[in-house]
Amino acid sequence: MTVEDPGPLIRLFGLTGGRARPLGENFDLVSIVTTVSTYSEPAHLTPEYRGVLSVCHRPTPVADVAARLKLPLNITRVILGDLRRQGLVTIDPPKPVAQTIDEHTYKEVLHGLRSL
């Protein structure tokens, strides 16, 4: 913090009611967050909660949400957990990357190489 930038007006743990962990099902930093398209923004949401909703109109990883809002990851996770419990966002695990290539793909590549 500097004289020009005094930092947040309230301590970050005040945003989450002193909680350091999200409630509900666990999710990791690469989980994908998306704002539910049918939500109507409740008036009781703080600017931080509204910021998350605006950032997540497109599917966004948890770590990117924190970076865009310049919030610590723990605080972001608590906020996301609250929004999920209110039905305002969905949090999905990342899609798994294929670990192996099937035999058919190998045969196609081999056929292609032979035809060269």
Side-chain angles (χ1 to χ4, degrees):
M1 288 192 267
T2 64
V3 174
E4 296 82 24
D5 181 19
L9 297 177
I10 62 171
R11 297 207 181 261
L12 291 173
F13 65 83
L15 295 173
T16 62
R19 292 175 291 135
R21 292 196 169 106
L23 300 174
E25 187 179 328
N26 289 332
F27 54 90
D28 60 22
L29 301 180
V30 294
S31 294
I32 305 300
V33 183
T34 308
T35 301
V36 176
S37 61
T38 59
Y39 87 93
S40 60
E41 194 172 283
H44 69 278
L45 293 179
T46 65
E48 292 78 16
Y49 283 69
R50 288 187 182 120
V52 169
L53 292 175
S54 68
V55 166
C56 297
H57 279 293
R58 292 185 175 190
T60 308
V62 172
D64 288 355
V65 174
R68 288 184 189 174
L69 297 176
K70 298 179 183 173
L71 289 172
L73 283 168
N74 284 349
I75 301 298
T76 303
R77 289 171 49 109
V78 172
I79 291 171
L80 288 170
D82 291 348
L83 291 172
R84 177 177 57 188
R85 285 189 16 233
Q86 294 176 37
L88 300 176
V89 297
T90 59
I91 303 174
D92 300 309
K95 303 229 185 286
V97 177
Q99 297 297 322
T100 60
I101 298 174
D102 64 348
E103 185 178 342
H104 174 71
T105 304
Y106 281 124
K107 287 181 179 179
E108 289 294 319
V109 170
L110 184 59
H111 176 72
L113 290 173
R114 286 183 179 151
S115 66
L116 292 174

